[in-house]
Amino acid sequence: GILATNTTLTLFTSYYLFGSANFNLLLAGISAVPTLLLALFIPKILKKIDKYKLFMICNLLMVILGLIIFFVGYENITAFFILSIIRSIPMGAVGVIAFMFTPDCAEYGKYKTGIDAKGITFAIQTFTTKVNAAVASSLGLFILKLFDWISVEAESFAELQSAGIVQSDLALQGLWITYSLIPVIGSILSMVFYSFYRLRDRDVQIMAQCNAGEITREAAENQFSKKY
């Protein structure tokens, strides 16, 4: 999440690389459609596939499409536009599924300790989300400075345009790297961390039944796919 520097540089990218501050709004609006449609079908999809597997597959697709976008470059606007819309599908799935792991962790915690700590579990998730957003914003601007980015104080893009500040080719390349490549590295690292995640949907359902007193602990352990 810390490496999701594209989230804070979308307007920069839209203005400096695609020549219009409105380009990002158009892209975001169109990309939202497949994401919303996917969110409606996620529950049905998860009945056929474990959400961990789907999450990892979507992360892998994000990495592949992200690398393609990076190497295609921003000069080919049509290709970037189409690839970004396609990438919004697995990206939307990752965004939805990521929040589904939290209640699973709470069920696991109660099963292991007998303590129902859903409140602090969700609070930690909310806290880390805010930390990620704050650090990603600062990190994105810090990386831009490494590419000799010229800082400009302006209240609007019209004022920025009137200032006549021209960023160097190095600065624009740095913006493209920060926008397109750094988040890909973040997705790769997330897959590394998630490879240690051991809970699976079927086992969590059994834990939930045990926590609710519907089955005994011994019965639960006999049904698990692995030892917890």
Side-chain angles (χ1 to χ4, degrees):
I2 289 174
L3 296 181
T5 49
N6 59 317
T7 57
T8 58
L9 297 177
T10 52
L11 288 177
F12 278 25
T13 305
S14 182
Y15 178 79
Y16 283 106
L17 300 183
F18 299 110
S20 172
N22 296 322
F23 180 83
N24 175 68
L25 297 177
L26 176 63
L27 178 62
I30 295 178
S31 299
V33 176
T35 302
L36 292 174
L37 291 176
L38 180 65
L40 296 175
F41 290 101
I42 281 290
K44 290 184 178 181
I45 296 174
L46 293 181
K47 289 181 180 179
K48 299 182 179 298
I49 182 173
D50 187 278
K51 65 174 168 286
Y52 173 80
K53 292 181 180 178
L54 181 60
F55 183 82
M56 294 295 277
I57 291 171
C58 289
N59 259 300
L60 180 60
L61 290 174
M62 283 175 57
V63 169
I64 294 172
L65 289 167
L67 288 173
I68 293 174
I69 288 173
F70 172 72
F71 287 112
V72 166
Y74 57 86
E75 293 87 356
N76 192 332
I77 297 179
T78 302
F80 169 80
F81 199 83
I82 295 173
L83 287 168
S84 295
I85 293 174
I86 296 173
R87 186 179 59 172
S88 70
I89 299 174
M91 186 179 295
V94 167
V96 172
I97 297 172
F99 288 94
M100 295 181 176
F101 289 113
T102 307
D104 289 358
C105 294
E107 288 290 355
Y108 171 79
K110 184 176 180 180
Y111 176 79
K112 293 291 289 186
T113 67
I115 300 173
D116 190 354
K118 290 185 178 68
I120 194 168
T121 305
F122 281 97
I124 290 173
Q125 182 187 52
T126 303
F127 173 74
T128 53
T129 300
K130 292 180 179 179
V131 170
N132 285 345
V135 176
S137 176
S138 301
L139 180 62
L141 296 175
F142 173 76
I143 295 175
L144 284 184
K145 293 298 291 184
L146 298 179
F147 290 89
D148 295 329
W149 185 267
I150 301 174
S151 299
V152 185
E153 292 186 9
E155 296 294 331
S156 65
F157 283 105
E159 185 179 336
L160 177 62
Q161 189 172 8
S162 64
I165 301 297
V166 178
Q167 302 289 349
S168 66
D169 290 340
L170 177 62
L172 295 179
Q173 188 62 31
L175 174 59
W176 180 242
I177 290 173
T178 310
Y179 175 81
S180 61
L181 185 59
I182 300 299
V184 170
I185 297 173
S187 295
I188 294 172
L189 288 176
S190 74
M191 292 179 66
V192 173
F193 285 114
Y194 269 101
S195 66
F196 295 96
Y197 184 83
R198 301 177 62 238
L199 289 177
R200 298 296 180 266
D201 289 348
R202 181 179 175 277
D203 292 340
V204 172
Q205 291 172 3
I206 296 171
M207 291 179 187
Q209 290 176 327
C210 181
N211 291 337
E214 297 175 3
I215 60 175
T216 64
R217 193 175 188 87
E218 182 180 2
E221 291 177 352
N222 289 334
Q223 297 179 61
F224 287 152
S225 63
K226 65 186 71 173
K227 184 175 178 59
Y228 290 98

